[in-house]
Amino acid sequence: MSMTDGPTPLSSAKAAQSAADREGLTTAPGASIAGRRGKKPGSLGQRWNALSRQQQWCFLIIVVVLAYLLPVINPPIITTEPGNNFGLACFDMARFALIAIGLNVVIGYAGLLDLGYVAFFAVGAYVSAMLTSPDSAFLKIPYLWTIPVAMAVTMFFGVILGIPTLRLRGDYLAIVTLGFGEIVRILATIIPAMKGQVGFQSVGHPPGTAADGNPIFTNSNGVPWYWLILTVIIIVLLLVGNLERSRVGRAWVAIREDEDAAEIMGVPTFKYKVWAFAIGASIGGLSGALFSGQVGFISNQRFDVYTSILFVAAVVLGGAGNKVGAIVGGALVSYIPLRFTAIAEYKYLIFGILLVVIMIFRSQGLFPARQKLLAYGRDAVKWMFKRDDGEHGTGAKRTTGTAQEKGAQA
Amino acid sequence: MTLLELDNVSVHYGRIQAIKDMSFTVEEGEIVSLIGANGAGKTTTMKTISGLLNPSAGSIRFAGKDITKMKAHIRVVQGISQAPEGRGVFPGMTVLENLDMGAFGRKDRSGMATDIARVFALFPRLEERQKQLGGTMSGGEQQMLAIGRALMSNPKLLLLDEPSMGLAPQFIRQIFKIITEINSQGTTVLLVEQNANQALARAHRAFVLETGEITHSGTGKELLANPAIKEAYLGVG
């Protein structure tokens, strides 16, 4: 996680200052100006950064344990019961969170507005259903094997969609992806093998039986599924976090900020955009496969444009470009209608209002993104200043001085 | 030695021809200026050289290699680096991160420290502001950052698209002085400008661009003295 690896520069003037001090850099007069753009003093991010590495890990472990225990504790006010089974609600929240993490790679990191993300989710769900359901004419494989297959197939679809469309930018890309979302749904309706509204019953589930002889993973009990998807989320977070901090992550941010500038900095922009699409797609497929296993029934009714828009809302709500934000945003988008069943009918209206309010008061989302982008540049700078100190202000400092003198003379 | 050679290059935007059979060369170690009015094709020429636009006809050679079909990001590795028009710094990245992005295509990490030191020596302001976000800096500072970032790939040829755009006269003089200094350190510079006075005074050679064609060429001093150019571009006459 970006938030776990120490202080984030510029999250506030103070943080920037302390980071500068720690790295032995001269204090930048501009830091305070830039810092003002960031979070308010005492914000979550700043308090987080003030913690030591050990404290951060302790906190994370507590959060993870609590997350696993959530359906068991079933906290009174938070619970969605009696309207909705809380175990199933937890699964649904986690599913949305996973989807938001995947879509966040596309929208948040690379800045590609994908309005048809449900298509990848659908492809993953269908792959899983068609390879396990007795209604399908395809060969059958164990459910767990369908998960990597679903990811591979959706990744392939991501590349197939990405290669022609990623030459487009901004609004045009959004329109094409919107179309793609519909195409998948319509194909599911008209291709006989995909069985339209009839769909696929009794999709497979992971093996294992409880002490009483019943299977652990059933359609009516969300808890084991929740634990499974939570584990998947943690693994995906670790992988995505690594990508984010790598060269790939920096390239994505550069593309998001200014695509032409990124290209002339030597970033193969097209390649990295296709990668963002493919990785985002495979995570969408993964969540689709898990969804289809849990629900046990897949038909073309579940993958409409509204669902796509909900996914985008989850990412934007949480703060595009921030993994933690994506999880919270995804969970909220799923949780609110489940908790307040009386108003579930109005969920699009409520999200609309919520989005407007959030965009006014927190235009960067609940958790604004601020990635650390320096890879080897950081080492280079450290090395340079170390050398300076070692040689009593030679090297950069001295040349700086002479340049300034030259400037003064001229 | 000829570093860059454009041979009968034409560029179209759809049906509109922005550049017509343009040919010119840039020799190693030179500062070459392209001057011209709005819409003359200056930025198009730059984008064609850096690879953001593809010519519809003609060929481009760089350091003896045909790069006509080469993608922009590979041209950077070959040694062509551009500070784009309107600066194009990454607004959400700090100065240091912007500079770091400039070295994206590089494999030699050891050379980076030297280059950051070089950039900071040329632009002390960037060193002071290394933790500031690019988008929060003044126009002049962003221009410095754009040039500094372009230098981070350690280019053989530096393309500068209107480095004086929107800057105060005092700043313009400073930027041009630094451009001369970059050149004296061994980087060839191709410069596009509306500010003909400075661009011609600093250039070894220069070309005048009108509606996609080169109409005059010569050394910077010759063109400065040319009455027609004086009248059209220098506001004298």
Side-chain angles (χ1 to χ4, degrees):
Chain A
M1 284 185 213
S2 63
M3 295 178 94
T4 58
D5 47 84
T8 314
L10 298 181
S11 65
S12 76
K14 208 173 157 191
Q17 174 83 57
S18 63
D21 293 345
R22 212 170 7 263
E23 286 170 27
L25 306 178
T26 47
T27 308
S32 58
I33 301 166
R36 252 176 258 144
R37 236 189 71 148
K39 296 160 201 157
K40 291 184 202 83
S43 75
L44 219 56
Q46 194 194 352
R47 268 184 262 163
W48 175 257
N49 290 331
L51 299 175
S52 73
R53 198 69 193 248
Q54 288 84 349
Q55 284 171 315
Q56 288 180 344
W57 275 109
C58 282
F59 185 75
L60 272 183
I61 289 168
I62 292 169
V63 167
V64 168
V65 169
L66 281 180
Y68 271 103
L69 290 179
L70 186 64
V72 179
I73 301 171
N74 200 351
I77 296 168
I78 297 170
T79 186
T80 54
E81 284 165 1
N84 290 290
N85 176 290
F86 192 58
L88 289 173
C90 283
F91 171 78
D92 201 57
M93 283 155 64
R95 169 174 75 92
F96 260 84
L98 181 59
I99 292 166
I101 294 168
L103 187 55
N104 183 42
V105 171
V106 183
I107 295 183
Y109 295 161
L112 307 164
L113 185 52
D114 184 350
L115 295 181
Y117 195 66
V118 74
F120 300 128
F121 179 68
V123 169
Y126 267 103
V127 167
S128 192
M130 290 170 82
L131 291 177
T132 56
S133 166
D135 300 345
S136 154
F138 283 87
L139 88 163
K140 305 294 180 298
I141 58 173
Y143 171 78
L144 286 180
W145 283 104
T146 66
I147 293 177
V149 175
M151 289 180 75
V153 171
T154 41
M155 192 177 236
F156 174 73
F157 269 83
V159 173
I160 290 291
L161 174 67
I163 285 175
T165 56
L166 287 174
R167 296 172 203 282
L168 303 172
R169 290 189 187 179
D171 310 351
Y172 301 102
L173 177 68
I175 291 166
V176 173
T177 54
L178 193 62
F180 180 69
E182 280 297 272
I183 287 171
V184 169
R185 189 178 63 83
I186 293 166
L187 281 182
T189 310
I190 59 175
I191 294 179
M194 295 178 78
K195 303 192 98 177
Q197 282 196 29
V198 180
F200 298 95
Q201 307 270 357
S202 8
V203 179
H205 54 76
T209 47
D212 57 0
N214 293 325
I216 297 171
F217 288 88
T218 60
N219 303 338
S220 55
N221 184 4
V223 180
W225 287 100
Y226 170 71
W227 285 334
L228 174 65
I229 201 168
L230 195 59
T231 312
V232 168
I233 286 178
I234 292 170
I235 295 168
V236 168
L237 272 183
L238 291 174
L239 295 176
V240 169
N242 268 325
L243 268 182
E244 184 187 344
R245 285 189 298 272
S246 71
R247 241 174 110 70
V248 183
R250 292 192 302 140
W252 282 339
V253 175
I255 291 168
R256 182 183 73 203
E257 297 230 317
D258 190 331
E259 196 173 327
D260 275 347
E263 178 77 24
I264 56 174
M265 293 300 111
V267 179
T269 51
F270 183 67
K271 186 177 104 185
Y272 280 112
K273 286 199 291 182
V274 174
W275 265 114
F277 239 59
I279 290 168
S282 73
I283 297 174
L286 170 65
S287 52
L290 289 168
F291 171 71
S292 113
Q294 196 279 321
V295 179
F297 170 66
I298 289 300
S299 77
N300 63 359
Q301 300 297 299
R302 297 177 179 275
F303 309 108
D304 51 8
V305 148
Y306 299 108
T307 317
S308 262
I309 303 299
L310 270 189
F311 294 164
V312 176
V315 172
V316 176
L317 188 74
N322 187 322
K323 296 186 298 295
V324 180
I327 294 173
V328 174
L332 273 182
V333 162
S334 157
Y335 174 76
I336 293 170
L338 287 171
R339 171 69 181 81
F340 307 100
T341 32
I343 55 165
E345 261 182 78
Y346 304 105
K347 65 179 171 187
Y348 293 107
L349 174 70
I350 293 165
F351 287 136
I353 295 170
L354 204 61
L355 276 179
V356 170
V357 170
I358 285 184
M359 288 306 109
I360 291 171
F361 293 103
R362 287 192 82 96
S363 57
Q364 306 287 306
L366 294 173
F367 295 88
R370 170 75 199 132
Q371 280 130 332
K372 296 210 315 187
L373 301 163
L374 286 174
Y376 41 82
R378 178 180 301 279
D379 296 332
V381 169
K382 266 188 199 153
W383 181 81
M384 190 179 94
F385 282 97
K386 214 182 286 166
R387 187 188 58 177
D388 281 355
D389 296 342
E391 298 175 17
H392 302 286
T394 52
K397 281 282 160 52
R398 194 178 58 192
T399 40
T400 305
T402 48
Q404 273 163 341
E405 281 156 27
K406 270 182 209 162
Q409 285 161 9
Chain B
M1 190 191 118
T2 304
L3 189 61
L4 179 76
E5 186 179 353
L6 272 74
D7 186 21
N8 284 311
V9 170
S10 295
V11 182
H12 286 78
Y13 291 106
R15 282 190 190 166
I16 300 161
Q17 188 165 18
I19 291 179
K20 295 162 194 159
D21 300 328
M22 184 187 286
S23 299
F24 68 87
T25 61
V26 176
E27 304 294 320
E28 208 169 330
E30 279 187 317
I31 298 180
V32 173
S33 291
L34 286 173
I35 62 168
N38 285 332
K42 305 188 300 290
T43 296
T44 306
T45 310
M46 285 309 222
K47 284 188 169 174
T48 310
I49 297 169
S50 66
L52 289 176
L53 290 174
N54 292 318
S56 43
S59 69
I60 307 169
R61 295 178 69 79
F62 178 73
K65 255 194 238 169
D66 189 340
I67 60 162
T68 317
K69 301 268 178 230
M70 192 183 276
K71 291 239 177 354
H73 62 88
I74 301 173
R75 294 190 196 191
V76 182
V77 182
Q78 298 290 317
I80 299 179
S81 191
Q82 184 184 1
E85 186 187 22
R87 301 162 199 127
V89 302
F90 299 113
M93 296 190 192
T94 64
V95 168
L96 213 50
E97 286 165 349
N98 264 286
L99 294 176
D100 194 62
M101 278 312 298
F104 190 85
R106 286 182 68 165
K107 301 276 184 279
D108 58 324
R109 299 179 179 199
S110 56
M112 277 198 48
T114 327
D115 281 327
I116 287 192
R118 176 189 176 196
V119 170
F120 283 165
L122 286 165
F123 303 105
R125 186 76 66 92
L126 293 185
E127 183 171 12
E128 289 165 21
R129 305 236 154 160
Q130 49 181 287
K131 283 175 179 290
Q132 188 173 338
L133 293 182
T136 65
M137 303 209 299
S138 76
E141 288 163 350
Q142 289 192 17
Q143 187 61 60
M144 292 176 175
L145 181 53
I147 298 175
R149 190 182 59 177
L151 285 173
M152 286 301 294
S153 65
N154 198 12
K156 296 190 186 98
L157 175 65
L158 178 64
L159 305 175
L160 298 175
D161 197 345
E162 302 227 15
S164 77
M165 193 167 77
L167 300 185
Q170 200 184 351
F171 237 101
I172 294 177
R173 273 193 295 279
Q174 199 186 339
I175 287 272
F176 275 102
K177 201 182 301 154
I178 292 169
I179 292 169
T180 311
E181 180 159 345
I182 291 169
N183 177 252
S184 69
Q185 291 171 1
T187 308
T188 309
V189 178
L190 176 60
L191 183 72
V192 147
E193 261 301 338
Q194 290 206 46
N195 188 323
N197 215 338
Q198 284 282 339
L200 293 178
R202 297 274 171 181
H204 299 106
R205 288 186 305 130
F207 301 95
V208 178
L209 217 56
E210 276 171 31
T211 57
E213 287 173 291
I214 291 175
T215 51
H216 297 82
S217 63
T219 66
K221 290 204 177 65
E222 280 167 13
L223 292 182
L224 265 179
N226 184 322
I229 290 164
K230 261 188 187 168
E231 189 174 357
Y233 298 101
L234 302 174
V236 203

